[in-house]
Amino acid sequence: AATGSGPILAAISTSATDSNIDLNINPLGTGVLKSGTAAVKIAGLETIFVPSAAMFGTTTNGAEANAVETTATRPEMKVLDFDASTNEYSQFSIAMPKSWNEGTLTFQAFWAPSNTDTGNALIGLQGVSVVNDATSDVVFGTAIYVTDAGGGAIEDVLVSSVSANVTVASAAADTYTYFQVVRNAADGADDFTGDVRLLGIKLFYTTDAANDA
């Protein structure tokens, strides 16, 4: 390159039929593509965290919004309380990034127990996307559950394992996506005796584009 200019690494084709050509730069094994010492961001697994404060309990069997004070002027937990005996629900909705590949998602549940019981809680997530100028009166995809045990202390922050794949019904680009969180208290495998105090949901999604343009 000329003095003061960066060199150009480009894909060039001699074929008249070629117009859009990828340029592949492949590190070896688990090596990372870098610019200097910093990793170059590439398409792949990304996360979005949605706090309970951005959710609401549904009109029917809704989880109850609550504020849990630890000690005055220390962290206070804004939660949604899910009952131990009845299936209860909360919802949130987002416009997924355009770079999302419209494939399956996974999630982690962040929560706190309301008592010292160490039984298992079943926390589920389901989703559905709605395209422009279409009704929101649609059916959610199948709920996928994670099982997490109470930690034995009321003010503990608990983080579940990553779920199995969640299929968002009617997933597509440029859609508005509704998500529903449910505690499956009616299932015998959910034997945690207190309320599940949901702090938030971390979504894991996969991108297949360099940006959201």
Side-chain angles (χ1 to χ4, degrees), residues 14-31:
T14 58
S15 171
T17 59
D18 286 336
S19 56
N20 300 305
I21 303 296
D22 292 338
L23 180 63
N24 299 311
I25 303 175
N26 300 320
L28 180 63
T30 58

Side-chain angles (χ1 to χ4, degrees), residues 1-17:
T3 301
S5 299
I8 297 173
L9 181 63
I12 298 174
S13 175
T14 58
S15 171
T17 59

Side-chain angles (χ1 to χ4, degrees), residues 129-170:
S129 292
V130 178
V131 299
N132 176 51
D133 201 24
T135 181
S136 292
D137 189 3
V138 288
V139 177
F140 280 106
T142 302
I144 298 298
Y145 293 90
V146 291
T147 301
D148 204 37
I154 293 176
E155 295 172 355
D156 281 2
V157 173
L158 303 178
V159 182
S160 76
S161 58
V162 178
S163 73
N165 289 339
V166 178
T167 298
V168 176
S170 305

Side-chain angles (χ1 to χ4, degrees), residues 75-87:
E76 188 164 330
M77 297 184 292
K78 296 293 187 181
V79 299
L80 286 166
D81 284 347
F82 290 76
D83 191 72
S85 59
T86 304
N87 285 17

Side-chain angles (χ1 to χ4, degrees), residues 4-202:
S5 299
I8 297 173
L9 181 63
I12 298 174
S13 175
T14 58
S15 171
T17 59
D18 286 336
S19 56
N20 300 305
I21 303 296
D22 292 338
L23 180 63
N24 299 311
I25 303 175
N26 300 320
L28 180 63
T30 58
V32 176
L33 183 63
K34 292 185 176 181
S35 174
T37 59
V40 176
K41 185 177 175 68
I42 59 174
L45 192 65
E46 303 278 359
T47 64
I48 299 173
F49 184 77
V50 182
S52 288
M55 305 180 191
F56 61 91
T58 54
T59 302
T60 302
N61 291 352
E64 181 182 2
N66 195 9
V68 181
E69 184 180 50
T70 54
T71 299
T73 72
R74 291 186 181 180
E76 188 164 330
M77 297 184 292
K78 296 293 187 181
V79 299
L80 286 166
D81 284 347
F82 290 76
D83 191 72
S85 59
T86 304
N87 285 17
E88 291 187 332
Y89 304 83
S90 69
Q91 293 185 10
F92 62 93
S93 50
I94 57 176
M96 290 292 291
K98 191 174 181 179
S99 55
W100 174 39
N101 69 353
E102 292 92 52
T104 57
L105 311 173
T106 56
F107 74 94
Q108 284 179 301
F110 288 64
W111 65 290
S114 67
N115 65 14
T116 58
D117 184 60
T118 56
N120 289 323
L122 271 63
I123 303 169
L125 183 72
Q126 53 194 150
V128 60
S129 292
V130 178
V131 299
N132 176 51
D133 201 24
T135 181
S136 292
D137 189 3
V138 288
V139 177
F140 280 106
T142 302
I144 298 298
Y145 293 90
V146 291
T147 301
D148 204 37
I154 293 176
E155 295 172 355
D156 281 2
V157 173
L158 303 178
V159 182
S160 76
S161 58
V162 178
S163 73
N165 289 339
V166 178
T167 298
V168 176
S170 305
D174 296 324
T175 54
Y176 189 64
T177 302
Y178 293 93
F179 290 94
Q180 182 161 261
V181 183
V182 55
R183 178 184 179 184
N184 196 356
D187 191 305
D190 185 322
D191 56 5
F192 178 67
T193 61
D195 282 357
V196 165
R197 290 181 160 167
L198 187 71
L199 295 164
I201 293 290
K202 180 187 279 189

